[in-house]
Amino acid sequence: MKTIAFVGLGAMGQPMTRALLAAGFAVRGTDVRPAACEALAAAGGIACHTAATAAEDADALLLMVVDAAQAEAALFAGGALNALPPEGIVVLMATCPPAAVAAIAEKVLATGRRFVDAPVSGGVAGATAAKLTIMAAAPDDVFAAVRPVFAALGQRIFHVGDTPGQGAVVKTVNQLLCGAHIAVAAEGLALAEKLGVDGRMLLEVMGGSSAASWMLGDRGPRMLEADPIVTSAIDIFVKDLGIVMQAGRDARAALPMAGLAHQLFLAASGRGEGAADDSQVIRSYRRLNFIG
Amino acid sequence: MKTIAFVGLGAMGQPMTRALLAAGFAVRGTDVRPAACEALAAAGGIACHTAATAAEDADALLLMVVDAAQAEAALFAGGALNALPPEGIVVLMATCPPAAVAAIAEKVLATGRRFVDAPVSGGVAGATAAKLTIMAAAPDDVFAAVRPVFAALGQRIFHVGDTPGQGAVVKTVNQLLCGAHIAVAAEGLALAEKLGVDGRMLLEVMGGSSAASWMLGDRGPRMLEADPIVTSAIDIFVKDLGIVMQAGRDARAALPMAGLAHQLFLAASGRGEGAADDSQVIRSYRRLNFIG
């Protein structure tokens, strides 16, 4: 593993490529936005005009694009898969529904190339600090081959299974809990607001009780602010809980708590608040339960 | 504060009275079950046949009964309120809907006696270790008067407001998050099960991620067991989420996530599983989403 092709130099991809460069990898990156390619070149990487060009001579092709459709476009229509050397490994790190990952993997494996399903969590902060959590599914030998790449990007690296799609399942369940926990915290804090109990005091009590959640500690204080800084937007959970619900549809499994949380994020997005901090899903409760 | 009347010597009341005795208070206790009264006497307390007898000469009357109806029965029909000295303080520690607490407080205050709304969390383990969390609402001077009693029972003592019912609101919101978090964890783990991903691995990933919750860490491992030991029963959350929904009805506030979680606990109870560990609400998902 010396040369990494990297498709998708966005908020996550940019710091991830810097981490790979810092660890000594050669990085051939591409993005639809020329400025993103220039930033990679300035950081010591090789900017490529297309995913296919990036894939040439690469040991692994990492995809950190927005969704499964973009991954398919780069790999198949865009020619990156065929440009990748036969012993190359495709590593899909974008958050995608498990069934979509399995379908992409099938096409990749049919060419004789290897595939790792490796979504991440930790956000931009985790990418920047090279402290991502990586949930990888691949046969043992394939996982072992890409491990040095993951070690450059993350701190908690899990080999969650050997079948493509299992990494996506872990990420999906993770996002189910994250999104639902934000909605639950909002529901509780909005009820307290309605009943005249101070939210900061409530956060202090619940932060140390069995009601605690990571999201309550992180998003709770911002739910009490009128217009907090955006650390992650409402529309991110519109997308991620959409993937959760897609996974449920594909598996024919009812996910009522996640489905309800999704509705609350969707309603906020539909009110034009999709770019607001996701803590502001509490506004859906205020609109629902408050006068005026 | 020297003599405490204590009504309700159950799973919580019994260790709480022992903690009060250990701290040097005289405890006059009563319970409908004679064995509970005998246990108090054996521990050094004074067993009383009625709540009214217990209340005589007491500085404070603590109520740790099952619900608001039992508290009303002891205080009003049972004569404990009138038996309590005029300068006595009624301390309601049972989990009750906020409006019910406010109604009880009004009747107590009308007699000139003082009132503290002080629900607890921490369960039997917290009561036994004298490490309860206490969420007390009362005017400053009344709170100060009962603080030594709380110090004997708990470790995290919060003065959450000056109006009776505000303690109940904090406890209600706390239980809203607790109950919903158990349901969310069950939904996620059941989805993983359906999609063939190992639950233990998932708990390891999520325990250190933004998906973490106190309930996931505590109940999650027991969700993976077929018949775990009971630390808290499904019917406790049938009751507690029932109080949450009652608070919502009283305030005319929609609480969709809590309402849905309540349905999942109710269905489990209706299948005859009300005495099972509350982690087994995951069986509602298995029944819903699995074949056979």
Side-chain angles (χ1 to χ4, degrees), chain A residues 74-139:
Chain A
L75 283 171
F76 310 129
L81 180 60
N82 285 333
L84 187 69
E87 68 280 10
I89 303 178
V90 173
V91 186
L92 179 55
M93 309 193 81
T95 298
C96 306
V101 173
I104 292 172
E106 199 181 336
K107 286 196 192 181
V108 170
L109 296 171
T111 71
R113 291 174 183 84
R114 293 170 290 172
F115 184 87
V116 185
D117 162 29
V120 305
S121 80
V124 175
T128 304
K131 289 185 178 177
L132 290 171
T133 295
I134 301 175
M135 299 151 257

Side-chain angles (χ1 to χ4, degrees), chain A residues 156 158 160 166 173-174 178 181 187-188 194 196 201 204-205 208-212 214 251 254-258 260 285 289, chain B residues 156 158 160 166 173-174 178 181 187-188 194 196 201 204-205 208-212 214 251 254-258 260 285 289:
Chain A
R156 304 177 74 234
F158 295 96
V160 302
Q166 290 182 313
V173 174
N174 192 80
C178 288
H181 286 170
E187 185 165 303
K194 174 114 183 161
M201 187 277 307
E204 195 188 338
V205 174
S209 88
S210 48
W214 191 93
L255 303 172
M257 299 288 289
L260 182 44
Y285 283 99
N289 287 335
Chain B
R156 303 176 74 234
F158 295 96
V160 304
Q166 289 182 313
V173 173
N174 191 81
C178 288
H181 286 170
E187 185 166 304
K194 175 114 183 161
M201 187 277 308
E204 195 189 337
V205 174
S209 86
S210 48
W214 191 94
L255 304 171
M257 300 288 290
L260 183 44
Y285 283 100
N289 288 334

Side-chain angles (χ1 to χ4, degrees), chain A residues 21-32:
Chain A
L21 290 165
F25 292 98
V27 179
R28 303 170 59 83
T30 188
D31 194 280
V32 288

Side-chain angles (χ1 to χ4, degrees), chain A residues 18 52 61 133 157 164 246 255 280:
Chain A
R18 281 199 296 270
L61 169 62
T133 295
I157 299 161
Q246 182 64 49
L255 303 172
Q280 296 308 301

